[in-house]
Amino acid sequence: MSNKLALLVSVALSLLVIAAPLPESGVAVPIRKRACRLTDANGVFDHDKAVRATVLLKNKHRQNLINLRNNRGLDAFSKGARILPIARLPRLVNTRLQRRQSEPLTDQNGDTEWTGTISIGTPGTEFLIDFDTGSSDLWVPSAACSSSICEPKHKYDPTASSTSQLQNGTFTIQYGDKSTVSGPVYTDAVNVAGVQVTGQYLSPVTNLSSTFGTDPIDGLLGLAFPAISNMKQSPFFNTAIAQGSVSKPSFGFKLAKNDSELYLGGAKCKLYTGAIESHSLSSTTGYWQIGNASISVGGQTPVFQFETIIDFGTTVIYGPADGVQQLYGSVPGATLFDSSNGFYSFPCDSVPSVSFNWGGQDWPITSDNFNMGETTKGFGQWVGAIAAQNFGLGSKVWVFGDSFIKNVYSGFDFGSNSVGFATLA
């Protein structure tokens, strides 16, 4: 072979190597959701479940703001942010939900959670966990919890783990049914789909809110930043980054009716097409928050230049009352269905075309994801997946839940401090 031909072959082989896709180095966590939206079996909007979900979200973000104040001080708050009074679940709603808990076929909380299995301790005990990008702590029921709420759940016994260590402090969150999730603080080994960390802070809770009585999950694993940690410690994925347990400081989510997945250590290319459109975080408050957002409705842009927190801990998209009112003002036939909880309805025969933009391409929400069911069977009005609520997060801050996230592949990057979206494959 001539030198020239050998050189050409060498170059060609090099180009093939360069062009070949790099192997993915992260790990996949299968996750599932028990229901698609806040809709009952008859296609009617489940108002009681929606109110409970709203109260839970209010109190989660209230606690996040308390944590942020304790960890960083009031100077870390976004403009207009303030800690609101604890939200209470209305007595009649709570009574109706408790009655429904005795119905064996009723799915109570499947509309707000994406769950997967993790292992804690040595030897490991498995737990069914709700993954949440809107909080930063890990908690599971304790073996010391003897209430009827804890009884059917998997429990963590620190005395049965050779790697557990009791730490100073306590963990507590208040809920709207006047009960709490609270317990001591430990460190132990935690494994999520082979991503193993040691010395991870967690709380085995000895008091568990009745809110979780019919919920299939054992506990919660937060994927936000340390700034909103109740324990003032590194969340699981940040610990994994620090210990070199993941090859990349990022994770990706696909949320859908089938084959949902959390991918730790990058983004799974097979689950999306094109490039991920990334946006730098606009805040250091501890949330996955990006700005310069706008909403398009039927070709109009009634709301723009606002902030968005990407939070898997809720189904609904929530915004300030004035912005949500402007949005539905562009929807023919839309009306305020529930003024107390900020839900709007619109005619069933004219689902609006809604999309979101952060300075790049438009990201539409499907009509199926925007519709949360009829107000009343046969009434002809559907409840929209965008509602008006004040969480105390700031006058221009919206919370984007699964109703949007199910339409895209989402990437979260601690290395570049960014959130990105791509088209689902």
Side-chain angles (χ1 to χ4, degrees), residues 316-375:
V316 183
I317 300 166
Y318 293 99
D322 56 348
V324 174
Q325 183 180 32
Q326 291 170 19
L327 183 153
Y328 282 104
S330 301
V331 178
T335 184
L336 184 58
F337 164 65
D338 176 1
S339 58
S340 297
N341 295 285
F343 290 107
Y344 283 75
S345 66
F346 57 89
C348 295
D349 57 1
S350 58
V351 181
S353 175
V354 178
S355 62
F356 306 95
N357 190 298
W358 284 267
Q361 74 177 76
D362 288 336
W363 300 99
I365 178 173
T366 66
S367 58
D368 186 55
N369 286 327
F370 191 76
N371 158 35
M372 295 202 298
E374 280 191 276
T375 56

Short mmCIF file of all heavy atoms in Angstrom, two decimals, residues 316-375:
data_model
loop_
_atom_site.label_atom_id
_atom_site.label_comp_id
_atom_site.label_asym_id
_atom_site.label_seq_id
_atom_site.Cartn_x
_atom_site.Cartn_y
_atom_site.Cartn_z
N VAL A 316 -50.34 20.50 37.86
CA VAL A 316 -50.87 21.73 37.28
C VAL A 316 -49.75 22.74 37.04
O VAL A 316 -48.69 22.69 37.65
CB VAL A 316 -51.94 22.32 38.22
CG1 VAL A 316 -52.58 23.57 37.64
CG2 VAL A 316 -53.01 21.27 38.53
N ILE A 317 -49.99 23.68 36.11
CA ILE A 317 -49.14 24.85 35.90
C ILE A 317 -49.79 26.00 36.66
O ILE A 317 -50.95 26.32 36.43
CB ILE A 317 -49.03 25.19 34.40
CG1 ILE A 317 -48.44 24.01 33.63
CG2 ILE A 317 -48.20 26.46 34.19
CD1 ILE A 317 -48.61 24.14 32.13
N TYR A 318 -49.04 26.62 37.57
CA TYR A 318 -49.59 27.70 38.40
C TYR A 318 -48.89 29.02 38.08
O TYR A 318 -47.67 29.06 37.91
CB TYR A 318 -49.40 27.40 39.88
CG TYR A 318 -50.19 26.22 40.40
CD1 TYR A 318 -49.59 24.97 40.56
CD2 TYR A 318 -51.52 26.35 40.75
CE1 TYR A 318 -50.29 23.88 41.05
CE2 TYR A 318 -52.24 25.26 41.25
CZ TYR A 318 -51.63 24.04 41.38
OH TYR A 318 -52.33 22.97 41.87
N GLY A 319 -49.68 30.10 38.04
CA GLY A 319 -49.13 31.42 37.83
C GLY A 319 -49.85 32.46 38.67
O GLY A 319 -50.92 32.18 39.23
N PRO A 320 -49.29 33.67 38.77
CA PRO A 320 -49.96 34.75 39.49
C PRO A 320 -51.32 35.05 38.87
O PRO A 320 -51.52 34.86 37.66
CB PRO A 320 -49.00 35.93 39.32
CG PRO A 320 -47.67 35.31 39.04
CD PRO A 320 -47.97 34.07 38.26
N ALA A 321 -52.25 35.51 39.70
CA ALA A 321 -53.64 35.69 39.27
C ALA A 321 -53.76 36.60 38.05
O ALA A 321 -54.55 36.32 37.13
CB ALA A 321 -54.47 36.25 40.43
N ASP A 322 -53.00 37.71 38.02
CA ASP A 322 -53.14 38.64 36.89
C ASP A 322 -52.67 38.00 35.58
O ASP A 322 -53.32 38.16 34.54
CB ASP A 322 -52.40 39.95 37.17
CG ASP A 322 -50.92 39.73 37.48
OD1 ASP A 322 -50.50 38.58 37.71
OD2 ASP A 322 -50.18 40.74 37.50
N GLY A 323 -51.57 37.27 35.62
CA GLY A 323 -51.06 36.64 34.41
C GLY A 323 -51.98 35.55 33.90
O GLY A 323 -52.22 35.44 32.69
N VAL A 324 -52.52 34.73 34.82
CA VAL A 324 -53.43 33.66 34.41
C VAL A 324 -54.73 34.24 33.86
O VAL A 324 -55.29 33.73 32.87
CB VAL A 324 -53.70 32.71 35.60
CG1 VAL A 324 -54.76 31.67 35.24
CG2 VAL A 324 -52.42 32.02 36.03
N GLN A 325 -55.18 35.34 34.45
CA GLN A 325 -56.38 35.99 33.94
C GLN A 325 -56.16 36.52 32.52
O GLN A 325 -57.03 36.39 31.65
CB GLN A 325 -56.79 37.13 34.87
CG GLN A 325 -58.08 37.84 34.46
CD GLN A 325 -58.44 38.96 35.42
OE1 GLN A 325 -57.57 39.61 35.99
NE2 GLN A 325 -59.73 39.18 35.60
N GLN A 326 -54.99 37.10 32.28
CA GLN A 326 -54.67 37.58 30.93
C GLN A 326 -54.64 36.42 29.94
O GLN A 326 -55.10 36.55 28.80
CB GLN A 326 -53.32 38.29 30.95
CG GLN A 326 -53.32 39.62 31.69
CD GLN A 326 -51.92 40.17 31.89
OE1 GLN A 326 -50.99 39.78 31.20
NE2 GLN A 326 -51.76 41.05 32.86
N LEU A 327 -54.09 35.30 30.36
CA LEU A 327 -54.02 34.13 29.48
C LEU A 327 -55.42 33.68 29.07
O LEU A 327 -55.70 33.51 27.87
CB LEU A 327 -53.28 33.00 30.20
CG LEU A 327 -53.04 31.69 29.44
CD1 LEU A 327 -51.79 31.03 30.01
CD2 LEU A 327 -54.21 30.73 29.56
N TYR A 328 -56.28 33.45 30.05
CA TYR A 328 -57.62 32.96 29.72
C TYR A 328 -58.47 34.03 29.04
O TYR A 328 -59.49 33.70 28.40
CB TYR A 328 -58.31 32.43 30.97
CG TYR A 328 -57.82 31.05 31.36
CD1 TYR A 328 -56.95 30.88 32.44
CD2 TYR A 328 -58.20 29.92 30.64
CE1 TYR A 328 -56.49 29.61 32.80
CE2 TYR A 328 -57.74 28.66 30.99
CZ TYR A 328 -56.89 28.51 32.07
OH TYR A 328 -56.43 27.26 32.41
N GLY A 329 -58.07 35.29 29.15
CA GLY A 329 -58.75 36.34 28.40
C GLY A 329 -58.58 36.18 26.90
O GLY A 329 -59.35 36.74 26.11
N SER A 330 -57.57 35.40 26.49
CA SER A 330 -57.34 35.11 25.08
C SER A 330 -58.00 33.81 24.63
O SER A 330 -57.83 33.40 23.48
CB SER A 330 -55.83 35.03 24.80
OG SER A 330 -55.18 36.24 25.14
N VAL A 331 -58.72 33.15 25.54
CA VAL A 331 -59.38 31.88 25.23
C VAL A 331 -60.88 32.13 25.12
O VAL A 331 -61.53 32.43 26.12
CB VAL A 331 -59.10 30.83 26.33
CG1 VAL A 331 -59.84 29.53 26.01
CG2 VAL A 331 -57.61 30.59 26.47
N PRO A 332 -61.46 32.03 23.93
CA PRO A 332 -62.90 32.27 23.76
C PRO A 332 -63.74 31.35 24.64
O PRO A 332 -63.52 30.14 24.69
CB PRO A 332 -63.14 31.96 22.27
CG PRO A 332 -61.80 32.17 21.62
CD PRO A 332 -60.80 31.74 22.64
N GLY A 333 -64.66 31.93 25.39
CA GLY A 333 -65.57 31.16 26.23
C GLY A 333 -65.01 30.74 27.56
O GLY A 333 -65.70 30.06 28.33
N ALA A 334 -63.76 31.11 27.86
CA ALA A 334 -63.16 30.73 29.15
C ALA A 334 -63.81 31.50 30.29
O ALA A 334 -64.20 32.67 30.14
CB ALA A 334 -61.66 30.98 29.13
N THR A 335 -63.92 30.85 31.44
CA THR A 335 -64.51 31.49 32.61
C THR A 335 -63.83 30.99 33.87
O THR A 335 -63.27 29.89 33.90
CB THR A 335 -66.03 31.19 32.68
OG1 THR A 335 -66.62 31.90 33.78
CG2 THR A 335 -66.28 29.71 32.85
N LEU A 336 -63.89 31.79 34.94
CA LEU A 336 -63.31 31.40 36.22
C LEU A 336 -64.23 30.38 36.88
O LEU A 336 -65.35 30.71 37.28
CB LEU A 336 -63.13 32.63 37.12
CG LEU A 336 -62.45 32.40 38.48
CD1 LEU A 336 -61.06 31.80 38.31
CD2 LEU A 336 -62.37 33.70 39.26
N PHE A 337 -63.77 29.15 36.98
CA PHE A 337 -64.59 28.05 37.49
C PHE A 337 -64.56 27.98 39.02
O PHE A 337 -65.57 27.70 39.66
CB PHE A 337 -64.08 26.74 36.87
CG PHE A 337 -64.53 25.49 37.56
CD1 PHE A 337 -65.88 25.13 37.58
CD2 PHE A 337 -63.62 24.65 38.20
CE1 PHE A 337 -66.30 23.97 38.21
CE2 PHE A 337 -64.03 23.49 38.83
CZ PHE A 337 -65.37 23.15 38.83
N ASP A 338 -63.40 28.21 39.62
CA ASP A 338 -63.22 28.12 41.08
C ASP A 338 -62.33 29.27 41.52
O ASP A 338 -61.11 29.19 41.41
CB ASP A 338 -62.60 26.76 41.43
CG ASP A 338 -62.27 26.62 42.91
OD1 ASP A 338 -62.55 27.55 43.69
OD2 ASP A 338 -61.72 25.57 43.31
N SER A 339 -62.94 30.33 42.01
CA SER A 339 -62.18 31.53 42.37
C SER A 339 -61.27 31.29 43.57
O SER A 339 -60.20 31.90 43.67
CB SER A 339 -63.13 32.70 42.67
OG SER A 339 -64.03 32.36 43.73
N SER A 340 -61.64 30.40 44.48
CA SER A 340 -60.82 30.14 45.67
C SER A 340 -59.51 29.47 45.32
O SER A 340 -58.49 29.72 45.95
CB SER A 340 -61.59 29.28 46.66
OG SER A 340 -62.75 29.94 47.13
N ASN A 341 -59.53 28.58 44.32
CA ASN A 341 -58.35 27.81 43.97
C ASN A 341 -57.79 28.15 42.60
O ASN A 341 -56.83 27.52 42.16
CB ASN A 341 -58.67 26.32 44.05
CG ASN A 341 -59.00 25.88 45.46
OD1 ASN A 341 -58.13 25.74 46.30
ND2 ASN A 341 -60.29 25.67 45.73
N GLY A 342 -58.39 29.14 41.93
CA GLY A 342 -57.82 29.68 40.71
C GLY A 342 -57.98 28.84 39.46
O GLY A 342 -57.23 29.02 38.49
N PHE A 343 -58.96 27.93 39.43
CA PHE A 343 -59.16 27.10 38.25
C PHE A 343 -60.12 27.76 37.26
O PHE A 343 -61.15 28.31 37.66
CB PHE A 343 -59.70 25.73 38.64
CG PHE A 343 -58.71 24.87 39.37
CD1 PHE A 343 -58.82 24.64 40.73
CD2 PHE A 343 -57.63 24.31 38.70
CE1 PHE A 343 -57.90 23.86 41.41
CE2 PHE A 343 -56.70 23.53 39.37
CZ PHE A 343 -56.83 23.30 40.72
N TYR A 344 -59.76 27.67 35.99
CA TYR A 344 -60.59 28.20 34.90
C TYR A 344 -61.12 27.04 34.06
O TYR A 344 -60.53 25.95 34.03
CB TYR A 344 -59.78 29.12 34.01
CG TYR A 344 -59.52 30.50 34.58
CD1 TYR A 344 -58.58 30.69 35.60
CD2 TYR A 344 -60.20 31.62 34.10
CE1 TYR A 344 -58.34 31.95 36.12
CE2 TYR A 344 -59.97 32.89 34.62
CZ TYR A 344 -59.03 33.05 35.63
OH TYR A 344 -58.79 34.31 36.14
N SER A 345 -62.23 27.31 33.35
CA SER A 345 -62.75 26.32 32.42
C SER A 345 -62.93 26.96 31.04
O SER A 345 -62.92 28.18 30.91
CB SER A 345 -64.09 25.75 32.91
OG SER A 345 -65.09 26.76 32.92
N PHE A 346 -63.09 26.11 30.03
CA PHE A 346 -63.25 26.58 28.65
C PHE A 346 -64.15 25.59 27.91
O PHE A 346 -64.31 24.43 28.35
CB PHE A 346 -61.89 26.71 27.96
CG PHE A 346 -61.09 25.43 27.94
CD1 PHE A 346 -61.22 24.52 26.90
CD2 PHE A 346 -60.22 25.12 28.99
CE1 PHE A 346 -60.50 23.33 26.89
CE2 PHE A 346 -59.51 23.93 28.98
CZ PHE A 346 -59.65 23.03 27.93
N PRO A 347 -64.75 25.98 26.79
CA PRO A 347 -65.66 25.08 26.07
C PRO A 347 -64.95 23.83 25.56
O PRO A 347 -63.84 23.90 25.03
CB PRO A 347 -66.15 25.95 24.90
CG PRO A 347 -65.97 27.35 25.37
CD PRO A 347 -64.73 27.34 26.21
N CYS A 348 -65.61 22.68 25.73
CA CYS A 348 -65.01 21.40 25.32
C CYS A 348 -64.73 21.34 23.83
O CYS A 348 -63.82 20.62 23.39
CB CYS A 348 -65.94 20.25 25.69
SG CYS A 348 -66.21 20.03 27.47
N ASP A 349 -65.51 22.06 23.03
CA ASP A 349 -65.35 21.97 21.58
C ASP A 349 -64.33 22.95 21.02
O ASP A 349 -64.18 23.06 19.80
CB ASP A 349 -66.70 22.17 20.88
CG ASP A 349 -67.36 23.51 21.23
OD1 ASP A 349 -66.75 24.28 22.00
OD2 ASP A 349 -68.47 23.76 20.74
N SER A 350 -63.61 23.66 21.89
CA SER A 350 -62.61 24.61 21.39
C SER A 350 -61.41 24.68 22.34
O SER A 350 -61.20 25.69 23.01
CB SER A 350 -63.22 26.00 21.19
OG SER A 350 -63.77 26.48 22.41
N VAL A 351 -60.65 23.57 22.39
CA VAL A 351 -59.45 23.54 23.24
C VAL A 351 -58.44 24.54 22.68
O VAL A 351 -58.11 24.49 21.49
CB VAL A 351 -58.83 22.13 23.27
CG1 VAL A 351 -57.60 22.12 24.17
CG2 VAL A 351 -59.85 21.12 23.76
N PRO A 352 -57.94 25.46 23.50
CA PRO A 352 -57.00 26.47 22.98
C PRO A 352 -55.66 25.86 22.60
O PRO A 352 -55.23 24.85 23.15
CB PRO A 352 -56.85 27.43 24.16
CG PRO A 352 -57.16 26.60 25.37
CD PRO A 352 -58.21 25.63 24.94
N SER A 353 -55.00 26.50 21.65
CA SER A 353 -53.64 26.12 21.25
C SER A 353 -52.67 26.93 22.10
O SER A 353 -52.53 28.15 21.93
CB SER A 353 -53.43 26.41 19.76
OG SER A 353 -52.09 26.16 19.40
N VAL A 354 -52.00 26.25 23.05
CA VAL A 354 -51.13 26.92 24.03
C VAL A 354 -49.70 26.42 23.86
O VAL A 354 -49.45 25.22 23.74
CB VAL A 354 -51.62 26.65 25.47
CG1 VAL A 354 -50.69 27.31 26.48
CG2 VAL A 354 -53.05 27.14 25.66
N SER A 355 -48.75 27.35 23.86
CA SER A 355 -47.33 26.96 23.81
C SER A 355 -46.53 27.92 24.68
O SER A 355 -46.98 29.02 25.02
CB SER A 355 -46.80 26.97 22.38
OG SER A 355 -46.88 28.27 21.82
N PHE A 356 -45.31 27.48 25.02
CA PHE A 356 -44.43 28.25 25.90
C PHE A 356 -43.10 28.49 25.19
O PHE A 356 -42.66 27.69 24.36
CB PHE A 356 -44.22 27.51 27.21
CG PHE A 356 -45.49 27.12 27.89
CD1 PHE A 356 -46.05 25.86 27.71
CD2 PHE A 356 -46.16 28.02 28.70
CE1 PHE A 356 -47.25 25.51 28.32
CE2 PHE A 356 -47.36 27.67 29.32
CZ PHE A 356 -47.89 26.42 29.12
N ASN A 357 -42.44 29.58 25.56
CA ASN A 357 -41.19 29.95 24.89
C ASN A 357 -40.28 30.62 25.91
O ASN A 357 -40.73 31.42 26.74
CB ASN A 357 -41.50 30.90 23.73
CG ASN A 357 -40.30 31.14 22.84
OD1 ASN A 357 -39.27 31.66 23.27
ND2 ASN A 357 -40.42 30.76 21.57
N TRP A 358 -38.98 30.28 25.83
CA TRP A 358 -37.97 30.88 26.71
C TRP A 358 -36.88 31.59 25.90
O TRP A 358 -35.71 31.59 26.27
CB TRP A 358 -37.33 29.82 27.60
CG TRP A 358 -38.21 29.39 28.73
CD1 TRP A 358 -38.24 29.89 30.00
CD2 TRP A 358 -39.19 28.35 28.71
NE1 TRP A 358 -39.17 29.24 30.76
CE2 TRP A 358 -39.78 28.29 29.98
CE3 TRP A 358 -39.65 27.46 27.72
CZ2 TRP A 358 -40.78 27.37 30.31
CZ3 TRP A 358 -40.65 26.56 28.04
CH2 TRP A 358 -41.20 26.52 29.32
N GLY A 359 -37.27 32.16 24.77
CA GLY A 359 -36.31 32.84 23.93
C GLY A 359 -35.78 31.99 22.79
O GLY A 359 -34.88 32.41 22.06
N GLY A 360 -36.33 30.78 22.64
CA GLY A 360 -35.93 29.89 21.56
C GLY A 360 -37.14 29.47 20.78
O GLY A 360 -37.92 30.30 20.30
N GLN A 361 -37.37 28.16 20.66
CA GLN A 361 -38.53 27.67 19.93
C GLN A 361 -39.75 27.61 20.82
O GLN A 361 -39.65 27.69 22.05
CB GLN A 361 -38.24 26.30 19.32
CG GLN A 361 -38.22 25.15 20.32
CD GLN A 361 -37.99 23.81 19.64
OE1 GLN A 361 -36.87 23.48 19.25
NE2 GLN A 361 -39.05 23.02 19.49
N ASP A 362 -40.92 27.48 20.19
CA ASP A 362 -42.16 27.31 20.93
C ASP A 362 -42.30 25.85 21.35
O ASP A 362 -42.02 24.93 20.57
CB ASP A 362 -43.36 27.69 20.06
CG ASP A 362 -43.47 29.20 19.86
OD1 ASP A 362 -42.94 29.95 20.70
OD2 ASP A 362 -44.08 29.61 18.85
N TRP A 363 -42.76 25.64 22.60
CA TRP A 363 -42.98 24.30 23.12
C TRP A 363 -44.47 24.16 23.42
O TRP A 363 -44.95 24.64 24.45
CB TRP A 363 -42.14 24.06 24.36
CG TRP A 363 -40.68 24.20 24.10
CD1 TRP A 363 -39.89 25.28 24.35
CD2 TRP A 363 -39.83 23.21 23.50
NE1 TRP A 363 -38.60 25.04 23.95
CE2 TRP A 363 -38.52 23.77 23.42
CE3 TRP A 363 -40.03 21.92 23.03
CZ2 TRP A 363 -37.45 23.08 22.89
CZ3 TRP A 363 -38.96 21.22 22.51
CH2 TRP A 363 -37.69 21.80 22.44
N PRO A 364 -45.22 23.50 22.54
CA PRO A 364 -46.68 23.42 22.72
C PRO A 364 -47.07 22.40 23.78
O PRO A 364 -46.35 21.43 24.06
CB PRO A 364 -47.18 22.99 21.34
CG PRO A 364 -46.03 22.26 20.73
CD PRO A 364 -44.78 22.92 21.26
N ILE A 365 -48.23 22.60 24.37
CA ILE A 365 -48.84 21.64 25.28
C ILE A 365 -50.00 20.99 24.53
O ILE A 365 -50.80 21.69 23.90
CB ILE A 365 -49.31 22.34 26.58
CG1 ILE A 365 -50.00 21.33 27.52
CG2 ILE A 365 -50.22 23.51 26.32
CD1 ILE A 365 -50.32 21.91 28.89
N THR A 366 -50.07 19.67 24.55
CA THR A 366 -51.12 18.98 23.82
C THR A 366 -52.48 19.26 24.45
O THR A 366 -52.58 19.59 25.64
CB THR A 366 -50.89 17.46 23.80
OG1 THR A 366 -51.02 16.95 25.13
CG2 THR A 366 -49.51 17.12 23.24
N SER A 367 -53.53 19.11 23.65
CA SER A 367 -54.87 19.34 24.17
C SER A 367 -55.20 18.36 25.29
O SER A 367 -55.89 18.70 26.25
CB SER A 367 -55.90 19.23 23.04
OG SER A 367 -55.83 17.95 22.43
N ASP A 368 -54.67 17.13 25.19
CA ASP A 368 -54.91 16.12 26.22
C ASP A 368 -54.28 16.54 27.55
O ASP A 368 -54.86 16.33 28.62
CB ASP A 368 -54.35 14.78 25.77
CG ASP A 368 -54.69 13.66 26.75
OD1 ASP A 368 -55.88 13.48 27.04
OD2 ASP A 368 -53.75 12.99 27.22
N ASN A 369 -53.09 17.14 27.49
CA ASN A 369 -52.42 17.58 28.72
C ASN A 369 -53.00 18.88 29.26
O ASN A 369 -52.85 19.18 30.45
CB ASN A 369 -50.93 17.75 28.46
CG ASN A 369 -50.21 16.43 28.36
OD1 ASN A 369 -50.57 15.46 29.01
ND2 ASN A 369 -49.18 16.37 27.53
N PHE A 370 -53.63 19.67 28.40
CA PHE A 370 -54.22 20.93 28.87
C PHE A 370 -55.60 20.72 29.49
O PHE A 370 -56.05 21.51 30.31
CB PHE A 370 -54.33 21.93 27.71
CG PHE A 370 -54.68 23.32 28.16
CD1 PHE A 370 -53.73 24.13 28.77
CD2 PHE A 370 -55.97 23.82 28.00
CE1 PHE A 370 -54.05 25.41 29.20
CE2 PHE A 370 -56.30 25.10 28.43
CZ PHE A 370 -55.34 25.90 29.03
N ASN A 371 -56.27 19.65 29.11
CA ASN A 371 -57.62 19.38 29.59
C ASN A 371 -57.58 18.50 30.81
O ASN A 371 -57.05 17.38 30.77
CB ASN A 371 -58.43 18.72 28.46
CG ASN A 371 -59.62 17.94 28.97
OD1 ASN A 371 -60.25 18.33 29.94
ND2 ASN A 371 -59.92 16.83 28.31
N MET A 372 -58.14 18.95 31.95
CA MET A 372 -58.15 18.16 33.19
C MET A 372 -59.53 17.60 33.51
O MET A 372 -59.79 17.19 34.64
CB MET A 372 -57.64 19.00 34.35
CG MET A 372 -56.18 19.41 34.21
SD MET A 372 -55.40 19.83 35.77
CE MET A 372 -56.39 21.23 36.29
N GLY A 373 -60.41 17.56 32.51
CA GLY A 373 -61.72 16.94 32.72
C GLY A 373 -62.85 17.96 32.76
O GLY A 373 -62.64 19.16 32.95
N GLU A 374 -64.06 17.47 32.56
CA GLU A 374 -65.24 18.34 32.58
C GLU A 374 -65.53 18.86 33.98
O GLU A 374 -65.28 18.17 34.98
CB GLU A 374 -66.47 17.57 32.09
CG GLU A 374 -66.57 17.44 30.58
CD GLU A 374 -67.94 16.92 30.16
OE1 GLU A 374 -68.11 15.70 30.17
OE2 GLU A 374 -68.81 17.73 29.83
N THR A 375 -66.08 20.07 34.04
CA THR A 375 -66.49 20.61 35.33
C THR A 375 -67.61 19.75 35.93
O THR A 375 -67.60 19.44 37.13
CB THR A 375 -66.99 22.05 35.18
OG1 THR A 375 -68.05 22.08 34.20
CG2 THR A 375 -65.86 22.97 34.71
#
